[in-house]
Amino acid sequence: MAALKNSIPLVLAYLFGAMALLGLLFVPFIAQTLTGWVSFLAAVALLLGILNLSTVHLRRLAKGNTYSGALTLSLIAVIILGITDSSGLTEEGVSTVFRNIQAPLEAAMASLLVFFLLFSGIRIVDRRRSWWAVLFIVAVILFLLGKTPMPAILGDIFADLSEFLTVVFVSAGMRGVLIGIALGAIAVALRVLMGTDRPYEK
Amino acid sequence: MITVDCPNCSVENSALSTRCISCGSELALEGYVRCENCRVLTHDDLEFCELCGSFIASYRGKQKSDVEGEATSIAGEMNGPASESGPAGERKGASEEKSSSENYPPEDAHQPEARDQPQPLGTVNVPDWLRDVDAALSADIQQGVEVGEDGAVPSGSGDIEEMPIPRMDTGDLPDHASDSTGYSDWLTELEKKAEDEDLEPPLLDDADSPQPSAESTEQRSAISNEGGVPEQSPSDLPDPDDTGTTRKRGTQPLDLEGKLLGVPKQLAGTHLPSWLSDQLRRESEKEELDEAKDITLPEPIPETVIRAPEPVAEESIPEEDDTVLDSSFEKWLQQLGEDTPEPEWLGDSAQQLEDDLIRDTSSIDVETPTWLRGEERQDADTADLLGIEDLVEEKGRLAGIRGAIQVEPAISSPLIAVSRPDYTVSKEHRQQIAILEGLIHEESIVEERTGKSIIDRLTARFRLLVGGALLIAVFIGLLVPSIAEAVSGSPIRQPTEGVFQLYDQVRNAAGEPVLVAFDYTPAMAGELNPIAIMLLEQLSNSDSTAVTVSQSAAGSEVADIVSGDIEGLDVQEIGFVPGEAIGLRRLVECIKEVDSCETIFGRALPEELQQSLQDVGLILLLTSESDSLVAWIEQVGSQLENVETVAGVTQSIGPVTIPYLVSGQLRGVLDGLPAAAAYERYLLLSPSSLSERASSMTLALWLIVGSLITSTVYYSITSFNPRSRH
């Protein structure tokens, strides 16, 4: 029974992976069908995630966590607004909440990022006194200076330097990273197809 | 083991026996005394019994032998050769002990002709000492006769000459038919005399203990009805003072305690003369037989030891001092092995068979567990096993046994710890270890550095200072944008090549549907919304249709907000596309085969939308994440050969677009606010708020750069100062 329990997911994973691959190359209809199923499953997974989130925070609310209560309350309110918007009872209720509450809050959170980055940059040399930290700071300063308009005395030295660094070093690094990501994705896919890696058993 | 030859038939008997196993005659051995405890014949010169070790009075033994010798001669004249009794030392008192099987009464004991020879007392030559018995004993004896039937011996009057006849109840009585009429008077006299005497109750065997004359019919019937061996126990012993009670033979044991006082030493021993006990027994048996001839008497039980020795504590038992019985038993075993002839069917091959067995067993590869081995904890092979088997244990409870394996050393020795298996360390483990070490190292450095410098002590104030300065710079740049221009000139730089390409692509897509992807959240709306608005306005000006789509639910909402603010823009919504890359794949398939794509992601596509998807001329990607950028380019851009892809991204992922821009997979890029400001000023030729934002950003960047340079210089200098170190 245990062997059957372990072998069925493996067989299904291999079967559908092979079908998608073959369908991509030879029979597009199969690939299209499977991709349609995946999109549907992704939407279902999103719904399950919302339910799980609400369940977790309801339990915390029962234990007295006020933040979980605020989250649960807001979740229920937006759902109700969406239902009323679709039914015509309200007009752009969800958009109103999004525009007036969510958008400003997210923007505020993002704006704090510059302060944290600045403080980290100021103390990086103090925390990690190494050549790599110094090199990092120097690179940051150069790129910032290259993006910042300089007085005419300094001219476009920093701009040209930053441009050079971007085109030569940065692009090379990014190409390497992108190729590595692609190769890694291929390797993971092959491991899943061969059954070596079983993320569905976690 | 001492053996005794029967004087009658010369058969060898065990010293434990009191009667011959062949003829039933009393066993006697001059110079030997029977032990009172275990009934083994022992030299009268010895103080202790050879078997059980109990004390034996030598003078008592001699007296017994003398008395018994006379009694033997008398009994022999009275009863004939078949009824010869042994020495008086064989007499026993009230018995709850059983004799050994060696004393099993002979088969012919039940034959009346051998025993049933009643002879009146008057016809026997009575010794002088008996004649000299005081007549005062007659009454006691007479009474004692009655008591003797049930075994109760009346207490004597204190006269040492009085000799009550002990009466024993036994269960194993030979079936003797004797006429004790002639002895009745004489016996009663003796019993009365010794009524008040306190003597140690003699030990009697079941076979030769004196049988009380069963005068009462009730007693006889009770005895006969019982049939079996009467059980006797110390608690059943009758009260010595209870002289008048009659007991049923076989139901209550005889209590001789204090009954033999006053009896002459010759008779006052612990044992009655055998001839006397025999006579008593014969009388009673004869009467029983007369009355119960048709009753089948039970089979006589083997003679057992009357009084079992007290159990000895284990501590008193010497470990290396085996009892005589063990050594004798061992000798008996050895003798048995030697005397036992080999089976005839083996013949001459017995020895050969034995040799073969030894050889076969020795060739077997036996591995004794290490925990069973002795001090030498080594793997044992066959040779070692043979060597162990040849060793004879010399001490301890296993003395004399071959092949004893010492277990205690193995058990008491400490267990050998099993080494843990070697664990393999993979590269991932090493990486994790390095990361953890780095974190620990950083934490330790942080702890060390806290509070060591001015800046460290003013950490909170310093942060507030820097944050405040940054805000001030931003506000000043928004309020007074000319300050930045006064210092550094125009904060807006010339557009790059990517900006120009994007402008060209958007201009070429005029009048065509443009697929606009809003893959960013409100968090990045501050940087991407101006770009989105600028480009959508351009599309609107060029009469292009914007088909909005998003891979996130928030992005679709942002799309609604942004597109709703553009006047005159024709917007068609696809909405939320789940599944990331798979969802984009599905979108591409729908774009390619638009004729069969009536629904997508569970939503029905209107005809206008289907037409727009069929006529898509440009893909405009607005994103703040590199994954989304890569997915759109690889899954959508690579599949639609005739459709170009341009992107408006944040300045942070600008370098990610360079490879795609160089390879031609992207046809234009607007990376960040400065590029958008340049696009607006130089390409669109329309002033907007982007210039003001650029000025405030310039001042903020100056502040940030200055802070970084200052802190780097400060900490670099302090690192060379020993005082700042700890």
Side-chain angles (χ1 to χ4, degrees):
Chain A
M1 189 64 185
L4 196 65
K5 184 180 178 182
N6 294 330
S7 61
I8 288 178
L10 178 63
V11 171
L12 289 175
Y14 176 78
L15 183 64
F16 284 97
M19 287 169 59
L21 189 62
L22 295 175
L24 188 65
L25 297 175
F26 304 107
V27 185
F29 174 75
I30 297 175
Q32 293 173 6
T33 306
L34 293 176
T35 52
W37 293 356
V38 171
S39 302
F40 174 75
L41 291 175
V44 174
L46 181 63
L47 182 60
L48 289 176
I50 294 171
L51 292 175
N52 184 41
L53 181 69
S54 59
T55 304
V56 169
H57 286 279
L58 281 173
R59 291 177 187 170
R60 293 183 183 179
L61 176 62
K63 295 180 181 179
N65 192 332
T66 56
Y67 296 106
S68 297
L71 186 144
T72 306
L73 191 64
S74 60
L75 176 66
I76 295 172
V78 173
I79 290 173
I80 293 172
L81 281 175
I83 296 172
T84 55
D85 283 347
S86 62
S87 62
L89 296 175
T90 58
E91 186 177 353
E92 296 184 353
V94 176
S95 299
T96 305
V97 170
F98 178 85
R99 190 176 305 182
N100 297 318
I101 299 176
Q102 184 175 351
L105 287 175
E106 288 191 20
M109 290 296 294
S111 63
L112 294 175
L113 187 63
V114 65
F115 295 97
F116 290 116
L117 292 175
L118 177 61
F119 298 146
S120 299
I122 289 172
R123 301 193 64 126
I124 190 171
V125 180
D126 183 36
R127 297 294 177 89
R128 302 193 69 157
R129 294 190 175 183
S130 62
W131 289 109
W132 294 108
V134 174
L135 183 61
F136 175 80
I137 288 297
V138 169
V140 169
I141 293 172
L142 286 176
F143 276 98
L144 289 175
L145 289 175
K147 297 295 181 184
T148 305
M150 289 288 112
I153 298 174
L154 297 175
D156 296 333
I157 298 174
F158 295 105
D160 296 338
L161 184 59
S162 64
E163 185 71 20
F164 171 76
L165 293 174
T166 302
V167 171
V168 175
F169 295 98
V170 173
S171 62
M174 286 308 303
R175 287 193 178 97
V177 170
L178 292 172
I179 292 172
I181 291 171
L183 293 175
I186 294 171
V188 170
L190 288 175
R191 287 168 61 88
V192 173
L193 283 176
M194 290 187 293
T196 306
D197 191 9
R198 302 181 186 184
Y200 39 80
E201 288 185 353
K202 295 180 181 178
Chain B
M1 182 69 72
I2 301 173
T3 57
V4 178
D5 295 333
C6 176
N8 189 26
C9 59
S10 301
V11 173
E12 194 175 77
N13 293 273
S14 171
L16 291 173
S17 304
T18 58
R19 289 190 172 275
C20 177
I21 60 176
S22 174
C23 63
S25 59
E26 193 75 20
L27 294 176
L29 193 63
E30 288 190 351
Y32 282 87
V33 177
R34 280 208 181 270
C35 174
E36 300 170 2
N37 189 28
C38 62
R39 302 297 302 151
V40 170
L41 285 173
T42 313
H43 279 286
D44 57 356
D45 295 331
L46 298 176
E47 222 173 49
F48 298 97
C49 175
E50 292 180 356
L51 179 62
C52 63
S54 58
F55 179 75
I56 298 176
S58 59
Y59 76 93
R60 185 189 296 174
K62 286 184 180 177
Q63 290 179 351
K64 287 180 185 176
S65 62
D66 292 337
V67 172
E68 289 173 357
E70 292 181 357
T72 301
S73 62
I74 294 171
E77 295 174 1
M78 289 165 60
N79 301 320
S83 61
E84 285 292 336
S85 303
E90 303 172 3
R91 299 292 175 259
K92 295 180 182 177
S95 168
E96 63 272 11
E97 301 168 351
K98 298 182 179 180
S99 58
S100 62
S101 59
E102 296 176 339
N103 211 14
Y104 192 84
E107 293 180 355
D108 59 354
H110 295 278
Q111 298 176 3
E113 59 187 20
R115 302 266 180 188
D116 296 338
Q117 298 294 334
Q119 293 183 11
L121 183 59
T123 60
V124 180
N125 295 326
V126 180
D128 296 336
W129 59 270
L130 283 179
R131 293 201 187 94
D132 296 335
V133 174
D134 191 359
L137 289 175
S138 61
D140 294 337
I141 293 172
Q142 184 62 36
Q143 188 177 2
V145 171
E146 296 176 352
V147 174
E149 293 174 358
D150 38 52
V153 177
S155 58
S157 59
D159 191 346
I160 194 172
E161 295 180 354
E162 295 176 357
M163 187 190 72
I165 307 302
R167 310 296 173 90
M168 300 302 298
D169 287 337
T170 62
D172 181 19
L173 300 174
D175 188 12
H176 300 292
S178 61
D179 184 10
S180 61
T181 308
Y183 300 104
S184 301
D185 297 337
W186 174 82
L187 287 174
T188 52
E189 290 178 0
L190 290 176
E191 287 178 358
K192 287 179 181 178
K193 285 290 184 182
E195 184 177 3
D196 295 331
E197 299 286 339
D198 289 332
L199 291 175
E200 181 181 356
L203 301 176
L204 297 175
D205 293 336
D206 291 338
D208 54 1
S209 59
Q211 299 302 316
S213 57
E215 292 183 352
S216 63
T217 305
E218 297 177 358
Q219 295 172 1
R220 293 175 199 155
S221 60
I223 292 170
S224 61
N225 289 334
E226 284 180 353
V229 177
E231 296 179 354
Q232 299 177 5
S233 63
S235 60
D236 294 336
L237 292 176
D239 190 1
D241 298 330
D242 186 11
T243 59
T245 56
T246 58
R247 294 189 295 117
K248 292 181 178 180
R249 174 166 172 257
T251 58
Q252 296 180 6
L254 176 65
D255 183 15
L256 299 178
E257 213 167 317
K259 295 290 189 286
L260 296 180
L261 291 178
V263 178
K265 292 184 180 179
Q266 294 81 354
L267 294 178
T270 57
H271 306 288
L272 287 176
S274 58
W275 60 268
L276 194 59
S277 61
D278 289 340
Q279 290 301 324
L280 295 174
R281 183 175 58 249
R282 292 192 201 100
E283 289 177 6
S284 61
E285 288 175 355
K286 184 180 179 183
E287 292 175 0
E288 290 174 4
L289 284 175
D290 292 338
E291 301 241 355
K293 289 183 180 177
D294 55 341
I295 295 174
T296 304
L297 293 176
E299 295 182 358
I301 60 173
E303 189 175 311
T304 58
V305 178
I306 294 176
R307 185 183 300 171
E310 294 181 357
V312 184
E314 290 187 359
E315 291 79 11
S316 63
I317 297 177
E319 295 181 355
E320 302 179 1
D321 186 15
D322 294 332
T323 61
V324 177
L325 183 61
D326 290 344
S327 62
S328 61
F329 182 71
E330 201 174 66
K331 292 178 184 176
W332 176 77
L333 281 178
Q334 290 177 357
Q335 190 179 5
L336 183 67
E338 293 171 0
D339 295 342
T340 303
E342 293 178 350
E344 296 179 355
W345 55 271
L346 276 179
D348 297 335
S349 62
Q351 185 62 34
Q352 183 64 27
L353 183 64
E354 183 178 355
D355 296 338
D356 293 340
L357 284 174
I358 291 173
R359 185 173 57 254
D360 292 342
T361 54
S362 63
S363 63
I364 295 173
D365 187 10
V366 177
E367 291 184 0
T368 305
T370 47
W371 60 273
L372 277 181
R373 297 194 194 114
E375 297 176 353
E376 298 180 0
R377 300 172 67 87
Q378 298 175 0
D379 293 333
D381 52 8
T382 307
D384 294 338
L385 286 176
L386 290 177
I388 291 174
E389 292 178 353
D390 291 337
L391 296 176
V392 179
E393 194 66 20
E394 296 178 358
K395 58 180 180 179
R397 294 184 179 271
L398 301 179
I401 294 179
R402 280 186 201 176
I405 300 173
Q406 298 293 335
V407 180
E408 181 181 359
I411 295 174
S412 59
S413 61
L415 292 175
I416 297 175
V418 179
S419 61
R420 293 183 299 176
D422 295 333
Y423 294 103
T424 58
V425 179
S426 62
K427 288 184 179 179
E428 289 77 14
H429 293 156
R430 291 198 178 93
Q431 292 173 356
Q432 292 173 2
I433 292 169
I435 292 170
L436 290 173
E437 287 179 351
L439 290 174
I440 295 171
H441 179 69
E442 287 180 2
E443 289 178 359
S444 63
I445 292 175
V446 171
E447 293 175 358
E448 294 171 356
R449 297 290 177 189
T450 301
K452 295 297 179 181
S453 63
I454 297 175
I455 295 179
D456 292 333
R457 289 195 293 269
L458 298 175
T459 302
R461 297 181 182 178
F462 177 74
R463 291 181 181 179
L464 289 175
L465 181 64
V466 172
L470 195 60
L471 286 174
I472 292 171
V474 171
F475 281 116
I476 290 175
L478 291 174
L479 296 174
V480 186
S482 59
I483 293 177
E485 292 181 7
V487 174
S488 61
S490 174
I492 300 173
R493 292 180 177 275
Q494 292 291 326
T496 59
E497 184 66 27
V499 175
F500 282 109
Q501 292 179 0
L502 186 142
Y503 176 77
D504 293 336
Q505 293 295 328
V506 172
R507 194 174 60 177
N508 294 335
E512 294 178 354
V514 175
L515 185 62
V516 183
F518 288 85
D519 283 350
Y520 64 94
T521 60
M524 296 297 152
E527 188 170 2
L528 290 175
N529 272 358
I531 296 173
I533 293 172
M534 182 178 64
L535 292 174
L536 287 176
E537 288 179 349
Q538 184 178 359
L539 291 175
S540 175
N541 296 333
S542 61
D543 297 330
S544 297
T545 302
V547 180
T548 62
V549 66
S550 176
Q551 291 189 82
S552 63
S556 60
E557 196 63 31
V558 170
D560 290 340
I561 296 172
V562 172
S563 60
D565 294 338
I566 306 299
E567 295 179 357
L569 180 62
D570 184 15
V571 179
Q572 297 176 357
E573 288 187 26
I574 296 177
F576 172 57
V577 177
E580 298 179 356
I582 301 297
L584 294 177
R585 198 78 178 184
R586 182 71 181 93
L587 179 63
V588 168
E589 293 167 357
C590 190
I591 293 174
K592 283 183 176 180
E593 300 176 4
V594 67
D595 296 337
S596 61
C597 184
E598 296 179 354
T599 60
I600 187 170
F601 309 116
R603 295 189 296 273
L605 294 177
E607 294 182 359
E608 291 181 346
L609 184 56
Q610 293 181 16
Q611 190 65 37
S612 299
L613 286 176
Q614 189 178 4
D615 299 332
V616 168
L618 181 67
I619 298 174
L620 175 59
L621 176 60
L622 301 169
T623 182
S624 62
E625 297 176 3
S626 59
D627 294 338
S628 176
L629 176 67
V630 172
W632 272 98
I633 294 172
E634 293 177 355
Q635 302 297 332
V636 180
S638 61
Q639 299 296 321
L640 300 175
E641 297 177 355
N642 298 326
V643 180
E644 302 296 338
T645 304
V646 294
V649 297
T650 57
Q651 201 170 6
S652 61
I653 63 170
V656 182
T657 62
I658 295 174
Y660 295 107
L661 194 62
V662 173
S663 63
Q665 290 173 290
L666 276 178
R667 289 295 185 180
V669 173
L670 280 178
D671 52 343
L673 191 60
Y679 182 88
E680 185 185 53
R681 171 176 279 196
Y682 296 102
L683 297 175
L684 296 180
L685 302 176
S686 62
S688 66
S689 61
L690 290 179
S691 300
E692 297 173 356
R693 292 186 181 185
S695 298
S696 63
M697 191 177 72
T698 301
L699 294 176
L701 285 175
W702 286 350
L703 182 62
I704 290 169
V705 170
S707 301
L708 289 175
I709 294 172
T710 304
S711 62
T712 302
V713 171
Y714 171 77
Y715 286 117
S716 300
I717 293 172
T718 56
S719 64
F720 294 101
N721 188 359
R723 296 180 187 178
S724 63
R725 298 180 183 178
H726 57 87

